[in-house]
Amino acid sequence: MSKIMSKPSLILCVLFTLFLKSYAQSCANHKFPSNQIFSSCNDLPHLNSSLHWNYDQSSKTVKIAYRHTGDLSSRWVAWAVNPTGQGMVGAQALVAFQRSDGSMRAYTSPITSYQTQLQEGDLSFPVSDLTATFSRDVIVIFATLKLDNVSSTLNQVWQDGPVSGDVPGMHQLTGSSVKSMGTLNLLSGVTETTKGAFNSNTKKKNIHGLLNAISWGILLPVGAVFARYLKVFPSADPAWFYLHATCQTSAYVIGVAGVATGIRLGNKSPGIQYTAHRIIGIVIFCLATLQVTALFLRPKKDHKYRFYWSVCHHVIGYSVIVLSIVNIFKGFDILNPEEMWKRIYVGILIGLAFVVAILEVYTWIVVVKRNKSESSSNEKMSNTARRQDIV
């Protein structure tokens, strides 16, 4: 009987412990020094943060305390109100970090572009009593905001990032760092995260990466394999050319769709630029356009310009393949997907390289046998000719 009773008791103890732990971590249970009391608070859904505030509706004044927890000895934290819209650009930020000498710096910074370095500047509304503390892996920003031209529902953004030489650096562009935004109703205390724009942009980025990986990264090398090795088989002529042309044209069409999604993403994020990735992409697109056009302008075998066409076609083709693979790995670094996807692509490249190695060996065997056969047949023909001359 005691054993039967002990199991429910153990479960109740575990649940009670978890409840106490969650309550202890709740913003409502936090006590600030100097007897500062905030009537409202919210545990923000990302980046281990919470916001505490007192709102005076008659004077349009809000006193806030923004808490950010984590290993923050060399990181900045920020909380911002965006009076003009949702997201980062236009946000009016309160920034804090610990200097290299151990003192705290707290200041205001208007965000005018995605490439901001969080320079100090005046906000679009008055800010007073701005201070910051750092203790036990928690940075707290205190401030009083006078929001005369802002409604009681705010667009808020919160963020953290690295500090180097007492200068804030770029925050991460993946995970929680691109989800930490939403709305806050100062009266009801309701916080809603802004998910729609993030999911839409993330989906477009994934489509852009997938289209380019399939086209430039897989179909293009496969087309080159068809071009080089299928013509070794006599029965495959002229099928090898059509397979090669189909792969190259399909890669180009899908790649153009990938480029188009990339351009649309760039237009929606004018401050975010990946210069090397963009330049390589432009070069690939131009060379691929030339390469596909050349397929339909191929001279005949006996034409005097066929040799020069073949050299240019091979050089451009292999250049596009190398640049495409390099750019796809740059895309992996930008999108930062799960490691599984990079491993899958590397596995495809290794498998393709293995097939190429086997076909290369087979090709050389066929070429050597063909040369021997031709030399022996030539020798027989010369011997026959000699006999006829003697007769």
Side-chain angles (χ1 to χ4, degrees):
M1 182 70 177
S2 61
K3 289 183 179 180
I4 296 174
M5 290 296 292
S6 64
K7 290 184 179 180
S9 300
L10 179 62
I11 294 172
L12 287 173
C13 288
V14 171
L15 292 175
F16 184 68
T17 302
L18 292 174
F19 170 78
L20 290 178
K21 185 177 180 180
S22 63
Y23 179 74
Q25 293 176 345
S26 171
C27 66
N29 193 46
H30 183 75
K31 294 182 179 180
F32 291 94
S34 304
N35 295 322
Q36 296 188 73
I37 298 175
F38 294 89
S39 58
S40 304
C41 77
N42 252 319
D43 291 307
L44 300 176
H46 305 289
L47 300 178
N48 300 320
S49 304
S50 62
L51 183 70
H52 307 249
W53 72 92
N54 293 324
Y55 181 51
D56 187 344
Q57 189 175 9
S58 60
S59 64
K60 293 276 190 173
T61 301
V62 57
K63 182 178 181 182
I64 67 102
Y66 171 69
R67 297 181 72 249
H68 197 111
T69 305
D71 185 8
L72 302 171
S73 57
S74 298
R75 298 186 69 79
W76 57 265
V77 304
W79 179 82
V81 173
N82 192 334
T84 59
Q86 295 179 338
M88 179 176 168
V89 176
Q92 308 294 299
L94 311 176
V95 186
F97 62 87
Q98 187 181 45
R99 294 188 180 97
S100 54
D101 61 5
S103 62
M104 290 298 297
R105 184 187 179 196
Y107 64 96
T108 58
S109 177
I111 310 300
T112 57
S113 72
Y114 286 103
Q115 292 181 320
T116 179
Q117 294 182 338
L118 295 178
Q119 296 91 339
E120 186 171 357
D122 295 331
L123 304 188
S124 60
F125 48 80
V127 178
S128 59
D129 303 325
L130 178 58
T131 59
T133 63
F134 182 30
S135 176
R136 297 180 181 178
D137 293 331
V138 179
I139 290 180
V140 184
I141 300 176
F142 298 96
T144 301
L145 315 179
K146 190 75 165 64
L147 304 175
D148 289 325
N149 299 319
V150 181
S151 69
S152 59
T153 299
L154 307 176
N155 295 314
Q156 63 171 341
V157 184
W158 61 101
Q159 195 57 261
D160 68 3
V163 174
S164 178
D166 290 343
V167 177
M170 174 70 79
H171 65 77
Q172 290 185 348
L173 299 176
T174 58
S176 296
S177 293
V178 292
K179 300 177 184 178
S180 53
M181 65 182 75
T183 59
L184 168 66
N185 189 306
L186 294 172
L187 297 175
S188 66
V190 175
T191 298
E192 294 182 358
T193 55
T194 307
K195 296 180 180 179
F198 168 74
N199 288 339
S200 175
N201 284 337
T202 301
K203 187 181 292 185
K204 289 177 182 176
K205 287 179 182 178
N206 291 337
I207 291 172
H208 169 69
L210 183 64
L211 290 175
N212 285 289
I214 292 173
S215 58
W216 311 119
I218 297 175
L219 286 177
L220 205 65
V222 169
V225 170
F226 285 148
R228 174 160 177 77
Y229 298 109
L230 279 188
K231 57 186 176 182
V232 174
F233 303 94
S235 59
D237 191 24
W240 69 268
F241 173 75
Y242 295 110
L243 285 171
H244 168 62
T246 301
C247 281
Q248 303 296 81
T249 307
S250 300
Y252 181 75
V253 172
I254 298 172
V256 168
V259 170
T261 57
I263 292 172
R264 283 196 290 268
L265 280 169
N267 291 337
K268 288 190 174 183
S269 307
I272 300 178
Q273 294 186 4
Y274 303 100
T275 305
H277 184 67
R278 180 165 53 89
I279 291 174
I280 295 174
I282 292 171
V283 172
I284 290 170
F285 177 75
C286 294
L287 292 178
T289 302
L290 180 62
Q291 191 78 337
V292 171
T293 304
L295 286 173
F296 300 100
L297 300 175
R298 185 176 64 149
K300 294 181 179 180
K301 288 184 178 181
D302 55 351
H303 197 281
K304 62 179 180 179
Y305 292 124
R306 177 60 181 263
F307 171 76
Y308 302 106
W309 180 92
S310 297
V311 171
C312 291
H313 190 66
H314 281 77
V315 171
I316 293 173
Y318 288 122
S319 298
V320 171
I321 290 172
V322 172
L323 288 173
S324 298
I325 292 173
V326 169
N327 218 28
I328 285 167
F329 280 105
K330 284 187 175 294
F332 277 125
D333 293 336
I334 293 168
L335 290 176
N336 195 23
E338 294 182 11
E339 191 67 22
M340 172 189 69
W341 296 108
K342 185 182 286 189
R343 289 176 182 173
I344 289 173
Y345 183 64
V346 171
I348 291 172
L349 291 181
I350 292 173
L352 197 58
F354 181 73
V355 171
V356 167
I358 293 175
L359 289 175
E360 187 70 24
V361 171
Y362 178 78
T363 299
W364 278 104
I365 292 173
V366 171
V367 169
V368 169
K369 285 184 176 181
R370 188 179 295 169
N371 290 338
K372 286 183 178 179
S373 175
E374 289 178 356
S375 62
S376 63
S377 63
N378 290 335
E379 186 176 348
K380 288 179 180 179
M381 289 177 64
S382 63
N383 291 334
T384 303
R386 286 173 187 172
R387 288 186 193 129
Q388 289 176 350
D389 292 338
I390 293 172
V391 171

